[in-house]
Amino acid sequence: MIDLDEKDRLLVAALRSDSRQSLVALAKRSGLSRSAVHERLRRLESRNVIAGYTIRLGAETHDPGVRALVAVSFQQGKNCDHVVPHISGIPQVVSCWSLAGATDLMLLVECGTNGDLDTIRRQIATIPGVATVQTHVALRTHFDRRGG
């Protein structure tokens, strides 16, 4: 685990709430000089603490229609190396996490309709090495702390 000091954590939190902040705004917020903020950000990027800067589209702009968590378990003797490369080729799978326990992978799938979700679920089920696929459709998002 990478050790972050208080100023690093403050910068990361500030960028998490608004990744478009200028170096000057970050400097004021952190009590550092603009050049010190710039150097810290370069260091955080090189250590892959900050992997990128992005935007989140508003609900009116980006409504996937259907959002689901898909739990995947592997066949005996299979692992992520066998399955994940196939899943990474499915654009509607927006996140993929390895888990400990009976479920091997948890996928976040965003697509337009329940029919699309069924097609994606069937596609995942036919991947060599996949034993079971359980689909959990999200009804509503109560909060989402990703990206502010």
Side-chain angles (χ1 to χ4, degrees), residues 30 39 58 66 76 97:
S30 65
E39 181 55 39
V66 176
Q76 187 75 23
W97 302 280

Side-chain angles (χ1 to χ4, degrees), residues 63-82:
D63 182 5
V66 176
R67 184 175 285 127
L69 293 172
V70 177
V72 177
S73 62
F74 301 149
Q75 295 171 348
Q76 187 75 23
K78 299 298 181 180
N79 60 43
C80 292
D81 294 337
H82 300 104

Side-chain angles (χ1 to χ4, degrees):
M1 182 164 162
I2 297 173
D3 190 32
L4 302 178
D5 68 16
E6 182 181 338
K7 296 293 184 178
D8 290 338
R9 286 191 298 274
L10 193 142
L11 289 172
V12 169
L15 289 170
R16 184 174 281 146
S17 69
D18 179 4
S19 65
R20 294 187 64 202
Q21 293 184 64
S22 69
L23 290 175
V24 171
L26 291 169
K28 286 179 184 175
R29 194 165 179 177
S30 65
L32 296 169
S33 69
R34 181 188 173 284
S35 60
V37 168
H38 186 256
E39 181 55 39
R40 279 179 181 262
L41 292 179
R42 286 185 0 160
R43 182 176 43 82
L44 292 169
E45 290 166 356
S46 71
R47 293 166 56 198
N48 207 30
V49 172
I50 297 174
Y53 301 85
T54 188
I55 62 166
R56 292 184 57 219
L57 299 175
E60 288 97 33
T61 310
H62 174 70
D63 182 5
V66 176
R67 184 175 285 127
L69 293 172
V70 177
V72 177
S73 62
F74 301 149
Q75 295 171 348
Q76 187 75 23
K78 299 298 181 180
N79 60 43
C80 292
D81 294 337
H82 300 104
V83 176
V84 171
H86 297 282
I87 290 172
S88 68
I90 303 171
Q92 297 89 345
V93 177
V94 297
S95 295
C96 175
W97 302 280
S98 295
L99 304 178
T103 299
D104 295 301
L105 293 176
M106 187 64 69
L107 314 176
L108 174 59
V109 176
E110 295 181 344
C111 57
T113 67
N114 284 332
D116 295 338
L117 178 60
D118 184 53
T119 300
I120 295 160
R121 194 203 69 73
R122 289 172 188 265
Q123 184 178 359
I124 293 166
T126 63
I127 293 172
V130 169
T132 64
V133 177
Q134 292 182 322
T135 306
H136 308 275
V137 176
L139 301 176
R140 181 172 76 173
T141 301
H142 294 277
F143 64 87
D144 183 349
R145 291 190 175 110
R146 294 175 297 155

